[in-house]
Amino acid sequence: GWLDGYVALVTGGASGIGRAVVKRFIAEGCTGVGVMVRSAEQVDGLVAEFGDKVVVSVGDVRSPADNVAAVEATVARFGKLDTLVGNAGVWDFFARLEKMSTEQVAESFDEIFGVNVKGYVLAASAAAPHLRASGGSMIFTLSNSAFYAGGGGPLYVASKHAGVGLIKQLAYEFAPDVRVNGVAPGGTVTPLRGPASLGKQEKRLSEIPGFEDSVANAMPLKFIAQPEDHTGHYVLLASKANSRATTAAIIQSDGGWEIRPMR
Ligand code: NAD
């Protein structure tokens, strides 16, 4: 495989795109994958499926200590770290600014930016020394909302745009030792949840009535993605042999948002 002997860490790896990346990385030859998950209930399913190829850490990506613990558990078990995949995220279910009280805006900002932006920076910080040592790379999951309006509300869209700046600045700071890139999926069938601050922590994107059809119809490529559809991009960007000259790049895997027709 393209990742023979690699060791990776994936945040938000219990479900959706993160879990598909874990599975694909193991299929591509990873010795082991650290998986950071939000709750203890998410551990058993991963261990049942992947056995001793995974080491699972329960934590909150907004916590510095939890990020350090996930990195250390991965390195303690598998001996090094080649690839960090920052992926844990929350969506805002299109929450428009004027539908929220000013107080809710403040709370939701802290929650959404806490997970989607601070979570990525903290993972990068915790993984940095090991990635410098291995000559590895970081890959962050962005979104069509990293480039375009309309895929969420202002808080989610701004948080994903922030990810673009983070990737560029980290790529700049870590060159030439560590490459830093991103994958920007579009609408994908996952259980992506909302923020507790908007009372949407149990609400799942895949449960929105008509969501799959409306995404498929809006996209030039005319289908809604499954998590597996994005995983080849992560493999490519992780692989030193296949993307050695690529840093500060973001691969769009969004069904063609750029070329959406007017009608
Ligand atoms: P998902 O809900 O299956 O995956 C997100 C994971 O992050 C979950 O397993 C969740 O437990 C974890 N998580 C959330 N908050 C956390 C926290 N505070 N600490 C630790 N873990 C936490 O949904 P997904 O769609 O696979 O989301 C993965 C990434 O893909 C996110 O960054 C999301 O913004 C992005 N994305 C998704 C879509 C889509 O349509 N599903 C589109 C574009 C981008």
Side-chain angles (χ1 to χ4, degrees):
W2 275 13
L3 305 181
D4 280 336
Y6 277 54
V7 175
L9 170 62
V10 180
T11 71
S15 60
I17 296 165
R19 192 185 185 106
V21 169
V22 172
K23 184 172 185 174
R24 182 76 189 271
F25 274 21
I26 291 170
E28 293 290 338
C30 275
T31 313
V33 180
V35 188
M36 188 172 177
V37 307
R38 183 75 179 93
S39 72
E41 298 131 48
Q42 295 172 311
V43 177
D44 288 353
L46 282 162
V47 174
E49 185 169 356
F50 304 113
D52 61 8
K53 293 280 185 191
V54 292
V55 58
V56 186
S57 308
V58 179
D60 187 330
V61 293
R62 294 168 288 185
S63 153
D66 290 355
N67 279 281
V68 170
V71 168
E72 294 309 324
T74 306
V75 173
R77 175 81 155 265
F78 300 118
K80 59 169 181 165
L81 183 65
D82 299 290
T83 309
L84 168 69
V85 178
N87 167 80
V90 285
W91 188 51
D92 64 3
F93 285 84
F94 301 118
R96 297 175 75 96
L97 191 72
E98 291 165 296
K99 296 275 187 189
M100 295 180 272
S101 70
T102 306
E103 186 59 36
Q104 275 181 320
V105 174
E107 285 176 20
S108 303
F109 178 94
D110 288 346
E111 186 172 359
I112 292 169
F113 272 70
V115 178
N116 295 4
V117 185
K118 186 180 180 185
Y120 284 5
V121 191
L122 293 178
S125 171
H130 299 288
L131 295 174
R132 284 260 192 215
S134 66
S137 82
M138 306 182 194
I139 304 168
F140 296 101
T141 302
L142 296 187
S143 170
N144 50 284
S145 293
F147 303 99
Y148 312 109
L155 298 179
Y156 183 77
V157 172
S159 77
K160 289 295 175 180
H161 274 66
V164 177
L166 181 64
I167 286 170
K168 291 180 184 175
Q169 181 63 24
L170 292 182
Y172 170 76
E173 291 187 13
F174 281 87
D177 298 337
V178 178
R179 298 175 301 108
V180 184
N181 296 294
V183 176
T188 307
V189 182
T190 75
L192 185 61
R193 288 168 193 247
S197 47
L198 294 177
K200 296 192 194 296
Q201 69 275 17
E202 296 305 328
K203 195 168 168 167
R204 292 154 177 251
L205 169 145
S206 47
E207 290 163 356
I208 297 176
F211 180 76
E212 297 188 14
D213 285 345
S214 71
V215 170
N217 287 332
M219 290 304 114
L221 294 183
K222 294 291 173 217
F223 70 98
I224 184 164
Q226 298 296 326
E228 297 71 26
D229 294 326
H230 310 300
T231 57
H233 300 310
Y234 293 83
V235 174
L236 174 69
L237 291 172
S239 169
K240 291 167 208 177
N242 291 287
S243 63
R244 191 181 160 214
T246 300
T247 195
I250 300 165
I251 299 179
Q252 297 183 340
S253 187
D254 61 10
W257 269 68
E258 176 77 44
I259 51 165
R260 274 179 302 165
M262 289 284 280
R263 57 197 178 96

